[in-house]
């Protein structure tokens, strides 16, 4: 089992920045693709960003490309999502996810990851 715990959410004004963290425990994440999803009220869950174990494969949704940056520290079993130039439409609950059935970051958007965090709320006010 892998336990994922997100942190770093909060309320920020449009144009501001936040950094989300996802700390994993239970086992090492060797071979796991890590990613971030988000879900706003009344909307479908959206795959926002993903990163492979090596960091050689990254994925960003078009809606966040150029504004968000994903990274991971394998020694700390932690993945980060730096969010800049935040917009009100970025308001959502952000979930961390992990899966080792896939080999690329983009592929995480095509399945339901096995492991999920509890989510952290991000609210962007205009």
């Amino acid at each position: 089992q892998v336990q994922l715990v997100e942190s770093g959410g909060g309320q920020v004004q449009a144009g501001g920045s936040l950094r989300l963290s996802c700390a994993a425990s239970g086992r090492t994440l060797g071979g796991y693709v890590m990613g971030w999803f988000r879900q706003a009220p009344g909307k479908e869950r959206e795959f926002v960003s993903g990163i492979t174990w090596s960091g050689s494969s990254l994925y960003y949704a078009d809606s966040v490309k150029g504004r968000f940056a994903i990274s991971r520290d394998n020694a700390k079993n932690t993945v980060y999502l730096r969010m800049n130039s935040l917009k009100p439409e970025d308001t959502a609950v952000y979930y961390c996810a992990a899966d080792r059935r896939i080999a690329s970051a983009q592929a995480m958007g095509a399945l339901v990851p096995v492991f999920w965090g509890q989510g952290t709320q991000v609210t962007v006010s205009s």
Side-chain angles (χ1 to χ4, degrees), residues 22-112:
C22 173
S25 61
R27 65 172 65 173
T28 60
L29 295 181
Y32 277 83
V33 174
M34 303 292 295
W36 290 93
F37 290 75
R38 68 185 181 185
Q39 188 162 23
K43 294 188 177 181
E44 291 188 357
R45 185 173 59 205
E46 178 185 16
F47 177 42
V48 175
S49 184
I51 184 169
T52 51
W53 169 255
S54 67
S56 62
S57 174
L58 304 178
Y59 170 83
Y60 295 100
D62 288 342
S63 57
V64 307
K65 204 169 291 183
R67 300 187 298 121
F68 290 12
I70 191 169
S71 61
R72 64 190 293 170
D73 185 335
N74 292 332
K76 296 182 178 179
N77 261 6
T78 300
V79 64
Y80 305 96
L81 186 68
R82 178 68 180 181
M83 306 185 296
N84 296 325
S85 302
L86 283 162
K87 305 175 181 179
E89 51 263 45
D90 294 318
T91 295
V93 178
Y94 284 70
Y95 297 92
C96 177
D99 202 298
R100 63 179 302 169
R101 297 172 292 168
I102 48 180
S104 71
Q106 184 173 1
M108 180 168 267
L111 50 68
V112 178

